[in-house]
Amino acid sequence: MEPKDFKLAVLVSGRGSNLQAIIDSIERGELPGARVALVLSDVAEAPALKRASRHGIETRVVDPKAFAGKIEFNQAMVEAIQARGADLVCLAGFMRILGKGFIEAFRGRIVNIHPSLLPAFPGLHPQQQALDYGVKISGCTVHFVDETVDGGAVILQSAVPVLEEDDAGRLAARILEQEHLLYPRAIRLFMEGRLTLTGRKALIKEN
Ligand code: GAR
């Protein structure tokens, strides 16, 4: 079977290393049929936008300040993504909580990566939270996005040891290496139709 045209919309706010990992994985042929159809940022200066442009990917800035309120801001993002016919919305360092209208528009088709083993340490500064708590193992999680903050069904996780000499930066860097491996794997599972959402569980079908 020919790989179909599977369109990703990637939402970013900053550096874009996870976006880069997705692009690189596509360029290495690991996600057959996939392409990034749109990179959307809520921050005009996000370095992720330059990464996208270097690969000839269409970008769009949706500045929340340009809208009357959150509903209108979310609606503008929904329209931009729907206009490109995205099959999957990937949050990659997108640092805003999505509104109900957005979640409803793409229910079951939004995924996020978070640098902790959820449900531990949701929200901001998860690496510092892990250090402050004193856990010996942290890591990263790719999960479906629902109305809760970092609370949707877990797709894949990777564990990373926390070292006594770690600070938040060092721990974040080691977790990030795993994020770059994990996110493309999760996208591939979705593309292959191997994920089933049952209650709060994402079940993975064997190949
Ligand atoms: C990544 O560590 C990602 O997991 C995290 O922000 C970083 C973005 O880096 N996301 C969150 O904390 C979301 N709650 P990147 O822009 O280089 O991909």
Side-chain angles (χ1 to χ4, degrees):
M1 198 176 77
E2 281 296 300
K4 69 168 193 140
D5 184 28
F6 186 93
K7 295 187 274 308
L8 301 169
V10 183
L11 270 56
V12 297
S13 299
R15 178 179 55 187
S17 73
N18 276 290
L19 166 68
Q20 189 71 56
I22 293 168
I23 294 170
D24 292 347
S25 182
I26 290 172
E27 291 186 352
R28 286 194 300 268
E30 293 165 358
L31 300 172
R35 68 184 165 99
V36 180
L38 177 68
V39 170
L40 190 155
S41 175
D42 61 328
V43 177
E45 316 76 43
L49 292 168
K50 289 214 177 68
R51 293 184 193 262
S53 300
R54 278 202 288 275
H55 292 266
I57 295 167
E58 187 180 351
T59 62
R60 172 88 194 270
V61 175
V62 180
D63 178 357
K65 292 191 292 293
F67 297 90
K70 281 190 183 157
I71 291 174
E72 293 82 358
F73 166 64
N74 275 271
Q75 187 53 31
M77 291 196 292
V78 167
E79 282 166 16
I81 295 166
Q82 283 175 340
R84 274 65 172 198
D87 298 288
L88 180 65
V89 178
C90 299
L91 312 187
F94 184 72
M95 300 311 275
R96 257 169 218 284
I97 294 169
L98 293 167
K100 204 169 166 1
F102 189 102
I103 309 279
E104 270 164 11
F106 304 107
R107 191 173 294 284
R109 295 192 292 133
I110 315 169
V111 292
N112 179 42
I113 189 153
H114 183 80
S116 75
L117 293 178
L118 291 169
F121 315 130
L124 292 176
H125 312 301
Q127 303 93 344
Q128 189 60 52
Q129 290 187 55
L131 290 174
D132 293 346
Y133 196 91
V135 293
K136 307 292 186 189
I137 296 176
S138 190
C140 49
T141 303
V142 180
H143 63 92
F144 282 108
V145 174
D146 62 13
E147 281 84 356
T148 63
V149 176
D150 299 327
V154 170
I155 299 171
L156 288 175
Q157 293 185 302
S158 246
V160 174
V162 179
L163 307 178
E164 288 190 357
E165 60 270 26
D166 270 344
D167 58 20
R170 276 196 291 264
L171 178 58
R174 290 205 317 288
I175 293 175
L176 197 62
E177 286 176 22
Q178 296 308 312
E179 294 184 40
H180 296 163
L181 302 174
L182 199 68
Y183 215 169
R185 279 178 51 210
I187 292 169
R188 184 163 177 145
L189 288 175
F190 186 97
M191 286 178 64
E192 291 175 343
R194 291 173 60 196
L195 297 175
T196 314
L197 255 178
T198 308
R200 69 144 295 108
K201 290 185 188 162
L203 304 179
I204 302 174
K205 255 185 263 153
E206 289 300 318
N207 236 343

